[in-house]
Amino acid sequence: SSELTQDPDVSVALGQTVRITCQGDSLRSYYASWYQQKPGQAPVLVIYGENNRPSGIPDRFSGSSSGNRASLTITGAQAEDEADYYCNSRDSSGSHVKIFGGGTKLTVL
Amino acid sequence: EVQLVESGGGLVQPGGSLRLSCAASGFTFSSYWMSWVRQAPGKGLEWVANINQDGSEKYYVDSVKGRFTISRDNAKNSLYLQLNSLRAEDTAVYYCARDSGTLTVVVFDYWGQGTLVTVSS
């Protein structure tokens, strides 16, 4: 099975731009989706596919991908963006097995 | 409004069994793939299993193959996860999630609030 790798910790100054990355072989074939999780809450989908935001997600969240790497960018980070972020995709085997990255804890300073 | 409500978690001894349920409402349940995702205390998300619309396809993470069984009842708008031969490392919050994705992208667009499974003697 394949893996998705994320940096465990990332920090950003309030109002600045931050990029959270996810790397894995499966991303050469499949798009990533991104989830935000705050303590004690269920994950929330924030970006999926090429660069799609579900209804209600602020437009400061955007996504991109290149080769085996996907990125989630927050432009003008807010205090409420402090959370854990997980990437997700299908396994590179081509089956319907799904995988998550290990997660990135974002701190807004 | 889409809602997913899990139930059935609790404390169980190693080697024991538990059946989790997820009640779905607010959408046409029979039209979607559904997944179970778990999160051990203080750890990240781990996809556990999924099932297609009519229940004919099921997939599992390697660590639960042969022990967990996913199923669904479209008439009752319900998703299930049977957990057998439980181990301490199965201790986690178990979430059900709707998968609205396509062949090229996973889209877990709705999640339940989770149910806690604790495996301990």
Side-chain angles (χ1 to χ4, degrees):
Chain A
S1 62
S2 51
E3 294 181 347
L4 295 175
T5 301
Q6 297 182 239
D7 292 329
D9 296 280
V10 172
S11 61
V12 61
L14 184 67
Q16 296 304 301
T17 297
V18 61
R19 176 173 294 180
I20 298 170
T21 61
C22 174
Q23 189 170 348
D25 288 341
S26 64
L27 300 180
R28 296 186 184 278
S29 304
Y30 304 107
Y31 288 109
S33 52
W34 291 91
Y35 304 84
Q36 175 193 71
Q37 187 181 35
K38 297 181 180 179
Q41 297 182 20
V44 173
L45 177 69
V46 293
I47 289 289
Y48 64 95
E50 196 162 0
N51 183 17
N52 301 294
R53 278 179 292 107
S55 174
I57 301 301
D59 60 6
R60 63 179 179 271
F61 289 89
S62 63
S64 62
S65 65
S66 177
N68 71 338
R69 185 183 297 255
S71 299
L72 172 70
T73 300
I74 306 174
T75 304
Q78 302 300 302
E80 61 264 31
D81 299 333
E82 184 162 296
D84 294 326
Y85 290 86
Y86 296 90
C87 61
N88 167 234
S89 85
R90 288 179 64 164
D91 181 85
S92 58
S93 67
S95 75
H96 287 275
V97 171
K98 312 297 169 65
I99 51 176
F100 281 94
T104 297
K105 180 175 179 56
L106 176 67
T107 301
V108 179
L109 303 172
Chain B
E1 178 192 6
V2 171
Q3 283 197 318
L4 297 170
V5 180
E6 301 95 336
S7 61
L11 175 63
V12 60
Q13 292 188 339
S17 297
L18 216 52
R19 189 196 197 204
L20 307 183
S21 299
C22 172
S25 61
F27 66 102
T28 305
F29 179 71
S30 59
S31 296
Y32 291 87
W33 281 78
M34 296 294 295
S35 280
W36 287 98
V37 177
R38 69 183 177 182
Q39 187 169 36
K43 302 297 184 182
L45 300 174
E46 180 183 37
W47 175 83
V48 174
N50 63 359
I51 187 169
N52 72 337
Q53 291 88 339
D54 65 5
S56 61
E57 292 185 56
K58 304 174 185 181
Y59 298 87
Y60 301 91
V61 68
D62 286 347
S63 60
V64 309
K65 283 180 182 176
R67 300 189 301 121
F68 291 8
T69 302
I70 190 171
S71 62
R72 66 191 297 162
D73 185 335
N74 287 340
K76 294 183 178 179
N77 290 336
S78 293
L79 176 72
Y80 306 102
L81 188 67
Q82 178 68 40
L83 290 66
N84 295 334
S85 303
L86 281 162
R87 307 166 181 167
E89 55 265 34
D90 296 317
T91 294
V93 174
Y94 285 73
Y95 297 99
C96 68
R98 187 179 85 168
D99 185 353
S100 296
T102 66
L103 289 176
T104 57
V105 64
V106 179
V107 182
F108 292 138
D109 57 350
Y110 287 94
W111 297 66
Q113 84 288 349
T115 187
L116 176 63
V117 173
T118 303
V119 184
S120 175
S121 54

